[in-house]
Amino acid sequence: DAQYDTQSDDYIKNIGNRGIFIQPQHPYIDSIANAVWETSDHSIIDYAYKCYEYVAQHLTYHLYLEGLLPLDTVIARQGGECGDFTTLYVNMLRNKNIPARHVAAFTGDNQFHVWAEFLLPGYGWVPVDATYKNGDPLGNYFGEYHEHYIVSHYSVNLSINCGDGFLT
């Protein structure tokens, strides 16, 4: 297994806590991350893939139109929108010190979407979309991204103008 450059900007910016959204040591995250880790071969790529499957299988998609929900709300509801699926995924990876981030994007016709990326040493950022996997269990949205979005941000805590108002 390749090792992370723990001094790199990518590592430093995409690891650890980020307020109410990213709390990788949350007791619930710790519990599910440890359970998934034990089913993996303890490699970054296998664990990341098993987390992708876990999130797609264990969350329910709900269109709340409330914007990105705090981690505690995602846990309580056991679901949410694309950003909420991403929040659970990012937290699970960061729990094992794997840099991961939200990718917020939009189209020209005011559609928006959020998916995750994780940093794989020696390769770079790997896209992962557990929300699409949830809607299409036979599809593969790990390491590939086929949609046509314009990335607006790599993080949480942002507002996106969706035509009908702002989602935060």
Side-chain angles (χ1 to χ4, degrees), residues 112-127:
F112 68 95
H113 190 49
V114 180
W115 62 90
E117 290 182 340
F118 72 94
L119 187 60
L120 185 60
Y123 179 79
W125 290 101
V126 178

Side-chain angles (χ1 to χ4, degrees), residues 94-162:
R94 287 188 183 194
N95 179 272
K96 299 299 177 203
N97 296 316
I98 300 169
R101 64 189 182 188
H102 290 69
V103 179
F106 63 94
T107 64
D109 60 354
N110 292 324
Q111 299 294 314
F112 68 95
H113 190 49
V114 180
W115 62 90
E117 290 182 340
F118 72 94
L119 187 60
L120 185 60
Y123 179 79
W125 290 101
V126 178
V128 178
D129 195 330
T131 309
Y132 277 16
K133 178 72 169 174
N134 175 266
D136 179 11
L138 299 178
N140 182 20
Y141 306 98
F142 184 89
E144 298 183 31
Y145 206 78
H146 301 285
E147 296 299 318
H148 302 286
Y149 285 91
I150 300 166
V151 173
S152 63
H153 208 67
Y154 293 100
S155 188
V156 294
N157 280 343
L158 69 147
S159 295
I160 300 173
N161 183 345
C162 298

Side-chain angles (χ1 to χ4, degrees), residues 60-106:
T60 302
Y61 186 83
H62 301 289
L63 189 58
Y64 293 119
L65 295 177
E66 296 174 329
L68 194 62
L69 299 174
L71 176 61
D72 283 333
T73 304
V74 175
I75 292 168
R77 292 181 178 176
Q78 286 298 290
E81 299 174 15
C82 55
D84 308 317
F85 277 63
T86 300
T87 293
L88 187 62
Y89 184 80
V90 166
N91 274 284
M92 290 177 74
L93 268 63
R94 287 188 183 194
N95 179 272
K96 299 299 177 203
N97 296 316
I98 300 169
R101 64 189 182 188
H102 290 69
V103 179
F106 63 94

Side-chain angles (χ1 to χ4, degrees), residues 34-86:
N34 287 336
V36 171
W37 181 255
E38 288 308 313
T39 70
S40 75
D41 68 7
H42 297 193
S43 72
I44 293 168
I45 196 80
D46 191 50
Y47 176 71
Y49 189 82
K50 291 195 184 285
C51 288
Y52 155 75
E53 288 182 322
Y54 180 93
V55 172
Q57 292 169 358
H58 288 86
L59 292 186
T60 302
Y61 186 83
H62 301 289
L63 189 58
Y64 293 119
L65 295 177
E66 296 174 329
L68 194 62
L69 299 174
L71 176 61
D72 283 333
T73 304
V74 175
I75 292 168
R77 292 181 178 176
Q78 286 298 290
E81 299 174 15
C82 55
D84 308 317
F85 277 63
T86 300

